[in-house]
Amino acid sequence: MAVNWNLYLARYQKARGGYYFGGRDWDCDSDLLLPQDDGHPLLVRVRQEYAGRSRSFSLYASTMVRLEHPYELHIRPRGASGSGVRFVAGLVGASMDFGYPEATRGRVITTNHRPFTKLVLGDLSLRNALSESDDMDLLVSPGPQPDGWHLIQVTPTAFSGTLTDDGPWVHDAMKSDALFLSDQEKEALFQAGSSHFNGKLDELLRSLLASRDAVTRWPISEYPS
């Protein structure tokens, strides 16, 4: 068994709004679209993934922005690998010192535009998000559209959700067997789990918005690579 992530994402929608897309209760395959007054909507995706016989769960939060030139950036915890973690290979700037050790220590940074990346990392909100979330994986990548659209995606690499997982996204209430409980007792468990999940997802979405703002705050065309 696993944590019912569809349930908790649906309950997040009930508490925060937006549009939920999901099928059967235990599919662990669902989406949440959160409209934004100041830009592209935010998309949250929960996925069940397999590598051989191993099963894991991943959560992605993403949005899109328009930039004047193709820009690639990947900031990930050092040693992060496996399901749900993407790697941008062959880019200049890998393993270079970008400063701000409080935010970059213990991370691998790859980019195709080192001067602009140093400017992006100068954004205090982004540095705070990186400092507060040791497991955050941040990806910025050009989309296939010809008019400058870029994907911005953040992923908590510690997200999993199995009953044996004591990771930061799993609350004890999420692991409790509610089969023989009354409706009132079940709801009390769900509320405890939802409160924890909502707080973690709020934090991840703040990191996504900080990343979006840091990448779009300055015109990339003014900083030659």
Side-chain angles (χ1 to χ4, degrees):
M1 291 183 64
V3 173
N4 188 347
W5 293 115
N6 278 9
L7 169 69
Y8 288 107
L9 190 60
R11 290 177 66 97
Y12 184 93
Q13 182 275 329
K14 185 177 180 180
R16 302 289 195 267
Y19 303 92
Y20 173 82
F21 301 84
R24 292 179 300 178
D25 196 24
W26 282 92
D27 276 351
C28 290
D29 188 353
S30 55
D31 301 273
L32 175 64
L33 186 68
L34 297 167
Q36 303 293 295
D37 293 334
D38 58 347
H40 212 72
L42 311 183
L43 176 65
V44 180
R45 309 179 70 193
V46 173
R47 292 292 182 266
Q48 183 173 223
E49 299 173 336
Y50 290 89
R53 295 184 178 180
S54 299
R55 179 179 63 168
S56 63
F57 302 88
S58 296
L59 185 148
Y60 308 89
S62 59
T63 191
M64 301 288 288
V65 299
R66 294 183 72 174
L67 303 175
E68 301 95 330
H69 298 292
Y71 177 58
E72 300 187 50
L73 171 66
H74 195 183
I75 303 176
R76 64 196 185 281
R78 190 176 301 277
S81 62
S83 176
V85 180
R86 298 177 58 186
F87 179 73
V88 179
L91 302 179
V92 301
S95 303
M96 292 184 179
D97 182 11
F98 290 87
Y100 309 109
E102 73 281 7
T104 61
R105 184 184 295 112
R107 287 184 160 91
V108 175
I109 302 174
T110 52
T111 181
N112 69 336
H113 199 313
R114 186 171 183 268
F116 188 68
T117 295
K118 293 189 73 171
L119 192 68
V120 168
L121 287 169
D123 186 275
L124 180 60
S125 294
L126 176 58
R127 294 204 311 275
N128 287 340
L130 290 167
S131 299
E132 295 166 3
S133 303
D134 292 339
D135 69 330
M136 188 176 86
D137 182 291
L138 167 61
L139 176 70
V140 182
S141 180
Q145 304 97 316
D147 47 0
W149 285 103
H150 285 64
L151 169 74
I152 299 183
Q153 177 179 279
V154 292
T155 305
T157 58
F159 185 87
S160 179
T162 62
L163 289 175
T164 59
D165 188 4
D166 294 321
W169 282 81
V170 181
H171 187 276
D172 287 344
M174 296 173 161
K175 300 187 289 184
S176 299
D177 188 353
L179 183 62
F180 299 106
L181 299 180
S182 67
D183 290 344
Q184 185 176 4
E185 290 170 327
K186 289 179 183 179
E187 182 58 27
L189 282 178
F190 293 152
Q191 286 184 6
S194 292
S195 178
H196 177 78
F197 177 80
N198 291 357
K200 294 296 294 182
L201 186 51
D202 284 344
E203 178 183 329
L204 187 71
L205 292 175
R206 286 193 295 270
S207 298
L208 175 63
L209 292 173
S211 302
R212 178 201 67 180
D213 294 345
V215 169
T216 58
R217 194 176 302 281
W218 301 274
I220 190 173
S221 58
E222 295 182 6
Y223 299 88
S225 58

